[in-house]
Amino acid sequence: MTEKTLIEGVSVAKEANVYFGGKCVSHNLTLADGTRKSVGVVLPATLTFTTASPEVMEIVAGACSVRMGGDAEWRSFEAGQTFKVAGSSSFDIQVVGSPMHYVCHFG
């Protein structure tokens, strides 16, 4: 595995976060400096997430379309790309075909 596929020096929550009847599953990570992240997968579905704090979503594998809360336009993202979500907001995400793997960077 390369440096880009690993997150070094983390504590991992053993219990998974399971959302939308299993359509999204993630694990919380805490880095040595206290930074929080989650890593997970979204199965084919259209889901709406709400955010408490700002997030940067890094697409690791697969692809998705995203519509920020209140917007009419969907934007497409694929592996290697990121999108930002404001805190105290929401976004719709649509995954078609293959699962989409992600890292969520909080704050």
Side-chain angles (χ1 to χ4, degrees):
M1 294 189 164
T2 67
E3 184 177 315
K4 289 188 177 190
T5 61
L6 297 175
I7 300 173
E8 299 284 345
V10 300
S11 297
V12 179
K14 289 182 180 180
E15 189 171 339
N17 304 304
V18 180
Y19 303 101
F20 305 104
K23 295 289 185 183
C24 178
V25 179
S26 68
H27 283 273
N28 293 331
L29 309 177
T30 304
L31 281 65
D33 67 1
T35 301
R36 294 183 322 110
K37 299 180 186 298
S38 68
V39 295
V41 62
V42 178
L43 300 178
T46 301
L47 309 171
T48 301
F49 287 90
T50 57
T51 63
S53 62
E55 299 178 0
V56 175
M57 294 290 291
E58 174 188 353
I59 310 306
V60 176
C64 63
S65 295
V66 175
R67 178 175 59 192
M68 296 300 162
D71 289 352
E73 182 181 338
W74 288 86
R75 295 176 37 212
S76 296
F77 297 92
E78 59 186 36
Q81 295 182 311
T82 63
F83 63 90
K84 295 180 181 181
V85 184
S88 301
S89 67
S90 67
F91 66 98
D92 299 320
I93 187 166
Q94 183 176 58
V95 175
V96 178
S98 300
M100 188 268 304
H101 301 252
Y102 68 90
V103 176
C104 178
H105 306 267
F106 296 102

